[in-house]
Amino acid sequence: MTIRHLKIFAAVAETGKMSAAAERCFITQPTVSQAIRELEEHYGVRLFERFSRKLYITEAGEQLLQYTRKVISQFDVLETNMQGFRAGSQLRLGATITVGACLLSSVLNDLKEQHPRLQIYSCVANTSLIEQKLLSSKLDVALVEGVIQSPSLIAIPVVEDFLVLAMSNTHPLATRSKIHVSELSPYEFVIREKGSGTRKLFEDYMSLHDIPFPIALEATCLDAIKNAVLYNNYLSAISVRLVEQEVLSGRIHIVRNLESDWNRSFYLVYHKDKLFSEPMRTLERIMQTYQCPDFLDQEACAVLTAE
């Protein structure tokens, strides 16, 4: 019994057809049939029942399928790690959209400076998609602002961040020095797409205080969000790092939540079975240099309160 047997078995179980499994594995149908037969002989059980030219997985087959998926996943991690040793200079780095917009370019330059021969592939997506790519070994490591759900992933906090409520200087709330969260309900919001860590943090806060809010626009593009704030008079909960230039130029007015509800960390995330390579260690050290932004005049900031 080999990993090839298990991959063929998984293909048959997931497609339900020998012919479809053969296409997926780029082999002939007789080869698929032989592999299944050899597996059944090896374990002394029937893995599939065949009725009216259809395949039905048996209880023993279901049990084997659960183990097979784990074994294949571990094998893929092994292959990726060993190929990394052979290549010696490759890093597949993921970043969530907020991190990608405010830090990734600088971090990539820092990595290249310390590892000039390092080949870096970067991918920017929302938290849920980055998590999937880490779990399927399509990324080595990622920088994430959202909460990681899978127990198979290790998340190390490396950078402090917090959300602010952003609005244009012409918004009706822009003249206020203190705003109660309940006063936000009548105003329209531009908000990130589902799967975003920023969106989840804000929605959890509003849900905790039982405050409904109308969503006028959902956007993945951060420029679209800032334009909606500036030109459509929408409100938005956004990372303070993303509006630094607009705040300093006086184009966007922000409101701070001085409680800890909107505080968060950016995390360095990797699979628990992943070899923590030297470039990954370098990345962790680099991220420690990007601490909380200090451009805000704390005394001049308007305040959001739930009390």
Side-chain angles (χ1 to χ4, degrees):
M1 190 269 291
T2 65
I3 192 69
R4 178 172 175 271
H5 283 89
L6 294 180
K7 287 187 174 182
I8 293 171
F9 165 70
V12 174
E14 290 168 359
T15 63
K17 294 181 180 180
M18 295 281 188
S19 57
E23 290 181 10
R24 178 189 288 191
C25 298
F26 302 102
I27 55 179
T28 64
Q29 188 168 332
T31 302
V32 173
S33 300
Q34 181 181 352
I36 298 301
R37 184 168 59 252
E38 289 173 354
L39 268 178
E40 291 180 329
E41 290 173 355
H42 178 80
Y43 289 114
V45 296
R46 298 281 290 182
L47 300 175
F48 298 97
E49 297 289 356
R50 299 156 179 85
F51 299 124
S52 302
R53 306 182 74 176
K54 291 185 179 180
L55 290 179
Y56 299 89
I57 193 166
T58 64
E59 184 178 351
E62 289 282 6
Q63 185 74 16
L64 179 61
L65 182 59
Q66 292 182 36
Y67 288 116
T68 292
R69 285 171 171 158
K70 293 177 183 177
V71 170
I72 291 174
S73 175
Q74 289 296 304
F75 181 81
D76 288 344
V77 170
L78 180 152
E79 287 286 282
T80 300
N81 286 344
M82 295 312 295
Q83 287 170 9
F85 270 118
R86 184 174 61 200
S89 58
Q90 183 181 27
L91 184 70
R92 299 171 302 167
L93 172 61
T96 47
I97 292 171
T98 295
V99 179
C102 64
L103 291 180
L104 183 60
S105 293
S106 298
V107 170
L108 290 175
N109 287 338
D110 293 341
L111 269 172
K112 281 292 188 181
E113 184 177 342
Q114 297 194 39
H115 294 274
R117 300 182 63 185
L118 183 65
Q119 295 181 353
I120 306 174
Y121 163 78
S122 300
C123 171
V124 178
N126 66 32
T127 300
S128 62
L129 289 175
I130 291 294
E131 183 169 350
Q132 291 173 25
K133 288 180 178 293
L134 287 168
L135 290 170
S136 60
S137 198
K138 293 179 180 177
L139 292 173
D140 300 315
V141 64
L143 301 171
V144 174
E145 85 266 11
V147 176
I148 293 299
Q149 304 295 328
S150 174
S152 296
L153 299 179
I154 295 173
I156 303 172
V158 288
V159 173
E160 296 177 3
D161 186 53
F162 57 88
L163 300 186
V164 292
L165 184 67
M167 64 187 73
S168 72
N169 288 325
T170 61
H171 195 279
L173 296 177
T175 59
R176 303 276 298 281
S177 60
K178 188 174 183 180
I179 302 168
H180 192 273
V181 63
S182 62
E183 296 179 87
L184 302 181
S185 188
Y187 299 102
E188 293 181 311
F189 277 77
V190 52
I191 195 167
R192 285 282 306 280
E193 79 289 354
K194 288 187 181 297
S196 155
T198 297
R199 175 169 178 157
K200 186 175 189 312
L201 181 60
F202 178 66
E203 285 186 332
D204 287 350
Y205 175 80
M206 297 297 276
S207 177
L208 176 66
H209 296 289
D210 197 25
I211 306 295
F213 61 98
I215 298 174
L217 174 64
E218 291 185 4
T220 301
C221 174
L222 296 172
D223 283 339
I225 290 175
K226 288 193 280 189
N227 284 337
V229 169
L230 286 167
Y231 305 117
N232 302 108
N233 247 2
Y234 295 157
L235 297 176
S236 185
I238 193 169
S239 168
V240 65
R241 295 174 182 271
L242 295 175
V243 291
E244 178 175 353
Q245 295 304 315
E246 289 82 3
V247 170
L248 291 176
S249 65
R251 300 177 67 214
I252 282 182
H253 176 76
I254 61 172
V255 180
R256 281 211 60 183
N257 181 349
L258 297 183
E259 302 299 324
S260 61
D261 304 79
W262 287 8
N263 294 353
R264 64 181 181 181
S265 295
F266 292 164
Y267 295 89
L268 186 146
V269 184
Y270 61 98
H271 196 283
K272 66 180 182 180
D273 297 323
K274 185 73 180 177
L275 175 71
F276 201 71
S277 64
E278 184 55 36
M280 290 166 66
R281 294 184 191 280
T282 301
L283 176 63
E284 181 180 10
R285 291 193 295 269
I286 288 171
M287 294 308 298
Q288 299 289 349
T289 66
Y290 289 90
Q291 290 308 309
C292 204
D294 56 3
F295 69 90
L296 293 181
D297 183 346
Q298 302 290 347
E299 294 182 1
C301 269
V303 174
L304 182 71
T305 179
E307 297 180 354

